Amino acid sequence: MFVLASLVILAQAAMFAAVWYLYYRGKIFEPFWNKGNWVLIAMYALLLILFSRLFGGLRVGYLKRMDDIYSLALAGICSNVVIYLQITLINRWFLSPAPILIMTLAQFVVIVIWTFGSRYLFNHLYGARKMLVIYGERKPDQLIKKMESRKDKYNIGGKVHIDAGEKQIYKMMREYEAVIIWDLPSQIRNRYLKYCFAHSIRCYITPKISDVILTGTDRIHLFDTPLLVARNIGLNAEQLVVKRIMDMVVSLIGIVVSSPIMILCAIAVKLCDKGPVFYRQERLTQNGKSFRIFKFRSMYVNSEANGARLASKHDDRITPVGRALRNLHFDELPQLFNVLVGDMSLVGPRPERKELMKEYQREIPEFYYRLKVKAGLTGYAQVYGKYNTTPYDKLKLDLFYIENYSIFMDIKLMFLTFRILFQKETSEGVEDKQTNALLNSAGEDEDK
């Protein structure tokens, strides 16, 4: 995997070296010495590595092919922009960006070839692991369905209920290459986890809420006693100040840049059914504070006369224009104004409606934990989840963001948000008979 990742970085760096030596080097007023040329090329390779890691690229065999291509292409574009600005500073004036643009297109071709080639080689060398699912009260059918969509990586060879008994399950575990511990009571889960550790068996575990909270703890030692400290305060003062400054600057730039798109969206919504352009709705943000969110209206007027419910996959309340806006997530653009005035942040848990919040809390009392930070235009659950992700899974994703927060993570999530604009499943509604994202088995007891 390291060799494959190195190849694509070296190939792109070599292409930049060719562009630099054949064009830009001769245009610079003060010529570079050889060591200066090498340093510039090395800096470009370093930029590629940093941006690729930021967007999750170079992880051979982990992401889907299109995600690999997107991540590496975005990393290349960012690196090319930065290096062009650097060349401009060296020259003290702008040079033609044409060679960089041509290089970007050539790099995209290389990335596509590398992605398919590396995936073929990876699958040929390793193949999918044969896995055993151990489950309890909650059936693993949905998990198995998701994992079977990646047959190149996962091979669900069997499943067993804990009623089969530990002795029988231990015997079965030794016949598989990996084990999935699916939503078991903590006491039982820990026994299987320790068995996997003792026998060097790869183990996949669905975390409890308490497990996610522990990911944000600090490790300290009281003399010879290790301790984990969970501060449980959300973001600290310095993080809040930097986050607010970034919100104001980026949202203002976003409003200016996206204003032509917003004007076209407003015209399209108005011409569709002559109704209001904007849709205002009460949502909840930090500490349960209520605010009015702004969206381009994607449904017919009075679409919720019979009560609040999430959009479904074949929802006849959605207008033709609204469906296009929702698929591209353009209906969310007016929320940049909510971010600018401070109602929301650029990144954070998506704000829920009070009515749906109450429904979710009846099934999942811990759901209000998401309100420890300000609601966001995008977030961890939006990037790594879907519109119809169950509230319990959405809660765990948002808690992971809260407990592991950093400005770097905010920047990463903002860039990764562009990826979901082209993924239909991220805006796919709930099932037609559902009014919210809860499933019959979604309510889980943390004490179990």
Side-chain angles (χ1 to χ4, degrees), residues 133-339:
V133 181
I134 305 172
Y135 68 100
E137 293 182 7
R138 189 180 177 194
K139 293 183 178 181
D141 297 345
Q142 283 196 325
L143 175 72
I144 292 174
K145 182 180 179 181
K146 291 177 183 177
M147 300 191 83
E148 285 180 341
S149 67
R150 288 293 308 274
K151 290 185 180 295
D152 61 312
K153 188 171 178 63
Y154 307 111
N155 174 19
I156 307 299
K159 61 181 180 179
V160 58
H161 194 279
I162 54 175
D163 287 346
E166 288 188 19
K167 186 176 181 180
Q168 176 63 24
I169 293 175
Y170 288 154
K171 181 180 178 181
M172 293 178 66
M173 289 168 68
R174 292 193 293 269
E175 299 172 358
Y176 290 83
E177 297 174 278
V179 169
I180 302 174
I181 301 176
W182 171 246
D183 193 36
L184 297 185
S186 300
Q187 188 175 7
I188 299 174
R189 178 198 68 177
N190 292 343
R191 291 201 293 269
Y192 289 119
L193 175 61
K194 290 175 183 177
Y195 184 87
C196 289
F197 184 83
H199 294 83
S200 301
I201 300 172
R202 180 180 286 252
C203 185
Y204 297 79
I205 307 164
T206 53
K208 302 288 188 182
I209 291 174
S210 53
D211 298 326
V212 179
I213 293 174
L214 286 175
T215 64
T217 56
D218 294 325
R219 291 181 293 274
I220 65 172
H221 294 88
L222 184 62
F223 299 106
D224 59 347
T225 302
L227 294 175
L228 296 177
V229 181
R231 304 190 187 280
N232 304 321
I233 60 173
L235 278 57
N236 61 39
E238 293 84 357
Q239 291 171 332
L240 288 171
V241 171
V242 175
K243 188 175 177 67
R244 180 60 189 143
I245 292 172
M246 186 169 68
D247 284 344
M248 291 189 292
V249 172
V250 176
S251 63
L252 187 59
I253 294 172
I255 289 169
V256 173
V257 172
S258 65
S259 56
I261 297 175
M262 286 197 278
I263 291 172
L264 291 174
C265 290
I267 293 172
V269 171
K270 191 67 178 179
L271 292 177
C272 182
D273 63 352
K274 311 300 181 184
V277 170
F278 296 106
Y279 178 65
R280 299 172 182 83
Q281 190 179 72
E282 291 292 327
R283 296 288 181 97
L284 298 179
T285 186
Q286 190 174 15
N287 300 321
K289 181 181 177 182
S290 180
F291 74 101
R292 292 178 69 82
I293 199 171
F294 289 89
K295 300 176 69 175
F296 284 121
R297 184 174 55 84
S298 60
M299 294 186 177
Y300 291 105
V301 179
N302 299 322
S303 60
E304 293 192 333
N306 297 322
R309 66 185 180 95
L310 292 179
S312 60
K313 293 180 179 179
H314 307 99
D315 204 321
D316 57 5
R317 299 174 301 161
I318 302 175
T319 66
V321 169
R323 195 169 298 280
L325 293 179
R326 293 172 75 92
N327 287 339
L328 294 171
H329 298 270
F330 283 175
D331 59 322
E332 313 282 359
L333 285 175
Q335 290 168 41
L336 287 169
F337 292 97
N338 286 115
V339 175

Side-chain angles (χ1 to χ4, degrees), residues 346-359:
L346 286 167
V347 182
R350 283 296 294 161
E352 293 287 355
R353 301 166 65 172
K354 184 179 291 186
E355 300 87 350
L356 293 178
M357 187 78 174
K358 290 180 179 178
E359 289 184 40

